[in-house]
Amino acid sequence: MTPPHRRRRPRRAAAYRAVRRVAAACAAAVVVVGAAAAGRDPGASGDLVLPLVAAVAAMAVAAYTSVRRRLRTRTRTTPGGHAPTVVRLDELDLRARRLLVGTDDCVRTSREELRWAAAQLGDEAIRGHAEALEAAASELAAAFGMRQRLDDGEEGARALLEEIVARCGAAGRRLDAEAPGFDRTRALERTAPGALEHAEARFREPAARVAEADGTLAELRGRYALSACLPVTGHDEQARDRLFFAATCLHRGRRAVDLGHTGSAVVHLRAAEAAVDQATLLVAGIARLASALAAAARVLPDALTAAETDLREAAVGSARTDLRTRIAHGEAVVARLRRELGEEKGGPGTGGRGVLDPVGALRRVEEVAAGLDRASRRRPEGPRALDRLERALLVARSSVGAASDYVTTRRGAVGCEARTRLAEAERRLRAAERTGASAPVSAPAPAPSPGPASALAAALADAREADTLARQARQLAERDVRAYGTPYGEGIWTGGAVLGGILLGAPHRPGAPEGHPGDGGPAGYGGPGTRARRDGGELFRTERPRRPSARRRDDGPAEPPAAGPPDSP
């Protein structure tokens, strides 16, 4: 590829040749005029030559300056130029990915703190801030939709990426503009004692449910297959981690209030609130999975019966090879699930352990039905289709909920791909739920034009796609967390908070190592320019005494020892 300075040389040479031609023409004019004057009056030629030479020189300098100015204007890369530098596509893609992740973090964190404000002040007090958040969330959802289209192979990558950057920027600016007003509304510096009491009361709820969650997990592992429990693997440990962090922050926040250090108290309060939110989410995820598995186990026998009926009806008069193959595959799947269902109820060879995943079994039944629809060229309709949709929605809600919990509580490590798949899964699930809520129960009359039957078919497709995308999002998020490694650094007690995106990795002083746990304070309501406004400083760093005589600080609920507020005695 020819360098830019090489491409500009021909244009400059042509311009300089034009300047030389102008100068030569002016010099020739001087000679002609001088000769004519000499012919008329020999004494007057000397008087005319010097002014003409000066005029020619001025014209040449002016022409040269004008040409240089035009060349600089055409080739400059500053915003005032006519040909700005075009950002490379890979750089634009990287920028769009980073903005999507950052804006998603802003929206999630803002939504969390807004719930705390609503619980203390009421919905009416935070209505304007909620509207700003929803506007930002709408921009973000549109940006994620464009990213999904790009990942699906849609053409026009540059236009899509530029639109993603623009929408993420608009969302961030909307939240940044609202953050000062939100701070005035919540006024944590003034209401810190009451806010701490509220946070302590909320802390006791997930803390009391951890033991119950342990029992629920043990029961699920004994009743169902291991694959059924995978969506909540590690939830109990992560919940304890967040609760330990929250307890430490609440203790330090209360101590800071007693000492009159309101700024430190607010920083610790916000960190504790975020940790309590994540612990509550993790504990609730275990209970939600138990409910989904129980509901799936209840409807699974009816789903198997309906699948067997569909297979028998399709087998009548089926002459096509592909259809017979599809029927045979469906019959094998249903027969295997029947055997597993019988074993789960206490058949021989179980050894007291369940071998069935009810949610996964419903997923396989729906795959059989969808494959039969395609092979027989039919579209689902009527009460049977509505029953299928309800079962598909049960599966999709379970998958989307589990993926959302995982991304939310590990968002410090999760990248753009997982978030994009999750956003698309949530969109597809909402579309399927809207159709299911408005679909008629009675079977519509067959018609070639789109109608209720095609709407039901589209809803079923959306539910299946939501389930698939959610499972992809979970796999991608797990990959990101494995690649991220252990974020514990110097302070073991802050590791889960860094992984969960509660503590930000922004350096708080020049020369500090970037991304170190505790270098940034807790995230709050706001966009990329305001969400890190509560700087943690050394509040979340493990104490490293500089002198052997340094006094030990015992301001945490348990080990490991950690530094208290830097302004405390």
Side-chain angles (χ1 to χ4, degrees):
M1 181 176 178
T2 305
H5 67 278
R6 294 280 182 86
R7 294 196 300 266
R8 289 196 293 266
R9 283 179 180 174
R11 287 185 294 176
R12 288 182 175 177
Y16 296 154
R17 285 196 298 271
V19 171
R20 287 197 297 270
R21 285 196 295 269
V22 170
C26 293
V30 169
V31 173
V32 172
V33 172
R40 292 192 302 270
D41 186 1
S45 61
D47 297 333
L48 291 174
V49 170
L50 290 178
L52 285 173
V53 170
V56 169
M59 291 174 61
V61 170
Y64 177 79
T65 303
S66 177
V67 169
R68 285 291 303 271
R69 186 183 298 113
R70 284 199 298 270
L71 285 174
R72 284 198 302 268
T73 302
R74 290 174 182 173
T75 58
R76 67 193 297 179
T77 58
T78 57
H82 297 298
T85 303
V86 177
V87 180
R88 293 192 318 181
L89 194 61
D90 58 342
E91 295 177 358
L92 186 60
D93 179 70
L94 181 60
R95 183 183 179 192
R97 289 173 180 270
R98 289 174 175 171
L99 280 173
L100 281 170
V101 171
T103 308
D104 188 45
D105 282 344
C106 291
V107 169
R108 290 178 184 274
T109 304
S110 298
R111 187 167 280 131
E112 290 170 357
E113 188 172 5
L114 194 67
R115 285 197 296 265
W116 285 88
Q120 291 179 263
L121 306 173
D123 293 336
E124 190 61 34
I126 54 96
R127 184 180 301 278
H129 312 306
E131 291 174 354
L133 175 59
E134 291 310 312
S138 177
E139 293 283 359
L140 176 63
F144 270 127
M146 294 172 187
R147 183 76 227 186
Q148 182 64 46
R149 287 160 50 192
L150 185 61
D151 292 346
D152 289 339
E154 183 172 323
E155 296 181 357
R158 180 172 293 278
L160 287 173
L161 290 172
E162 289 175 347
E163 185 67 16
I164 289 171
V165 170
R167 287 186 177 273
C168 288
R173 289 190 297 272
R174 187 75 173 87
L175 291 174
D176 281 334
E178 195 69 24
F182 179 81
D183 286 345
R184 288 192 295 270
T185 299
R186 199 171 185 203
L188 284 178
E189 286 74 10
R190 179 171 52 83
T191 62
L196 275 168
E197 290 180 3
H198 178 70
E200 289 166 351
R202 285 278 304 275
F203 168 84
R204 289 189 284 271
E205 296 176 10
R209 295 175 59 189
V210 168
E212 179 185 347
D214 286 341
T216 302
L217 268 177
E219 183 180 355
L220 294 178
R221 292 183 180 121
R223 178 179 299 179
Y224 303 112
L226 289 177
S227 61
C229 305
L230 285 179
V232 295
T233 298
H235 275 31
D236 51 344
E237 298 173 359
Q238 290 293 326
R240 283 189 172 83
D241 181 281
R242 303 301 190 277
L243 288 172
F244 178 81
F245 177 81
T248 306
C249 289
L250 288 172
H251 175 83
R252 294 182 174 186
R254 178 61 65 185
R255 185 169 181 265
V257 166
D258 294 340
L259 294 173
H261 303 143
T262 307
S264 297
V266 169
V267 171
H268 281 111
L269 168 65
R270 177 61 202 130
E273 288 177 343
V276 169
D277 260 349
Q278 293 195 8
T280 303
L281 192 67
L282 290 162
V283 172
I286 297 174
R288 186 181 62 243
L289 177 66
S291 177
L293 288 171
R298 286 194 301 269
V299 302
L300 180 57
D302 292 339
L304 291 172
T305 301
E308 290 169 340
T309 301
D310 290 342
L311 289 168
R312 283 196 301 269
E313 291 177 356
V316 176
S318 61
R320 297 193 346 257
T321 303
D322 60 336
L323 181 56
R324 290 200 304 270
T325 302
R326 178 62 62 180
I327 292 171
H329 171 73
E331 289 173 344
V333 170
V334 171
R336 180 175 179 180
L337 291 176
R338 284 286 190 192
R339 289 193 301 271
E340 291 182 1
L341 183 62
E343 289 176 350
E344 196 276 331
K345 289 182 177 179
T350 63
R353 183 181 184 81
V355 295
L356 183 67
D357 175 2
V359 172
L362 283 183
R363 180 182 297 118
R364 293 164 67 186
V365 170
E366 176 55 30
E367 289 172 354
V368 168
L372 196 60
D373 289 342
R374 291 191 296 270
S376 59
R377 298 182 178 87
R378 68 177 187 183
R379 62 184 186 183
E381 56 184 5
R384 286 188 187 179
L386 283 174
D387 291 340
R388 281 178 55 187
L389 179 58
E390 286 301 318
R391 294 191 291 264
L393 287 174
L394 190 157
V395 174
R397 291 188 188 108
S398 178
S399 301
V400 172
S404 178
D405 291 351
Y406 191 91
V407 170
T408 299
T409 56
R410 282 95 165 167
R411 62 175 177 261
V414 177
C416 178
E417 282 186 276
R419 296 172 192 246
T420 302
R421 301 298 179 273
L422 176 59
E424 182 66 11
E426 291 171 339
R427 186 188 71 82
R428 293 292 191 101
L429 178 58
R430 288 192 298 270
E433 287 175 335
R434 285 194 300 268
T435 304
S438 60
V441 177
S442 59
S449 59
S454 61
L456 280 175
L460 275 167
D462 281 334
R464 289 193 300 269
E465 190 65 17
D467 173 55
T468 301
L469 288 165
R471 288 185 291 136
Q472 290 177 2
R474 175 65 182 260
Q475 293 169 358
L476 291 167
E478 289 175 347
R479 179 203 65 185
D480 292 340
V481 171
R482 288 193 298 269
Y484 187 74
T486 304
Y488 290 93
E490 293 181 7
I492 293 178
W493 74 289
T494 63
V498 174
L499 178 65
I502 297 171
L503 295 182
L504 302 175
H508 63 277
R509 62 187 184 278
E514 192 167 351
H516 191 83
D519 276 352
Y525 181 103
T530 55
R531 67 189 300 256
R533 60 190 177 276
R534 298 186 182 100
D535 185 11
E538 296 289 337
L539 297 180
F540 302 101
R541 298 287 293 276
T542 301
E543 183 182 14
R544 305 175 67 183
R546 296 183 179 179
R547 300 184 306 275
S549 59
R551 187 157 54 95
R552 176 186 176 186
R553 302 181 188 273
D554 187 17
D555 55 352
E559 89 278 355
D567 50 0
S568 59

